[in-house]
């Protein structure tokens, strides 16, 4: 199995942190040297381990923001 490469290009928002130090974050992450995508997932304190998450393209992220803005 090929090794997964990632680089957090930009930290955007800390959403929460649990008592074990894992932090749910919104970041822009490059996976396997591809262009960075918006990414929501839990990370260990030093970002060496990660939980399951979701990635969104620029277009998907813009749609999400627009739709959330309409929910008043």
């Amino acid at each position: 199995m090929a090794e997964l490469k990632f680089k957090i290009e930009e930290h955007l928002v800390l959403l929460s942190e649990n008592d074990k130090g894992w932090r749910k974050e919104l970041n822009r992450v490059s996976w396997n040297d591809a262009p960075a995508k918006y990414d929501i997932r839990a990370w260990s304190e030093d970002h060496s381990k990660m939980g399951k998450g979701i990635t969104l393209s620029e277009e998907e992220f813009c749609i999400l923001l627009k739709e959330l803005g309409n929910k008043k």
Side-chain angles (χ1 to χ4, degrees), residues 1-3 22 24 26-28 31-32 34 36-37 42 45 47 53-54 57 61 63 65-66 68-70:
M1 178 186 264
E3 184 179 338
W22 280 71
K24 193 172 295 178
L26 169 62
N27 297 310
R28 288 188 33 83
W31 298 98
N32 295 320
K37 292 188 174 190
E45 192 172 357
H47 292 100
I54 182 170
S57 68
F61 188 68
I63 291 169
L65 289 178
K66 179 182 173 191
L68 289 174
N70 290 335

Side-chain angles (χ1 to χ4, degrees), residues 16-25 43-46:
S16 64
E17 184 171 357
N18 71 19
D19 57 347
K20 295 181 181 179
W22 280 71
R23 300 161 49 115
K24 193 172 295 178
E25 301 176 355
W43 293 90
S44 64
E45 192 172 357
D46 65 357

Side-chain angles (χ1 to χ4, degrees), residues 57-72:
S57 68
E58 183 79 30
E59 180 182 7
E60 291 167 330
F61 188 68
C62 288
I63 291 169
L64 178 62
L65 289 178
K66 179 182 173 191
E67 291 302 317
L68 289 174
N70 290 335
K71 304 287 183 194
K72 293 184 179 180

Side-chain angles (χ1 to χ4, degrees), residues 6-57:
F6 66 91
K7 180 179 179 190
I8 298 174
E9 299 283 345
E10 182 180 10
H11 172 73
L12 298 169
V13 178
L14 171 62
L15 299 169
S16 64
E17 184 171 357
N18 71 19
D19 57 347
K20 295 181 181 179
W22 280 71
R23 300 161 49 115
K24 193 172 295 178
E25 301 176 355
L26 169 62
N27 297 310
R28 288 188 33 83
V29 179
S30 171
W31 298 98
N32 295 320
D33 297 320
K37 292 188 174 190
Y38 290 92
D39 184 89
I40 301 171
R41 74 181 63 244
W43 293 90
S44 64
E45 192 172 357
D46 65 357
H47 292 100
S48 64
K49 297 177 184 175
M50 69 195 82
K52 292 182 181 180
I54 182 170
T55 60
L56 300 167
S57 68

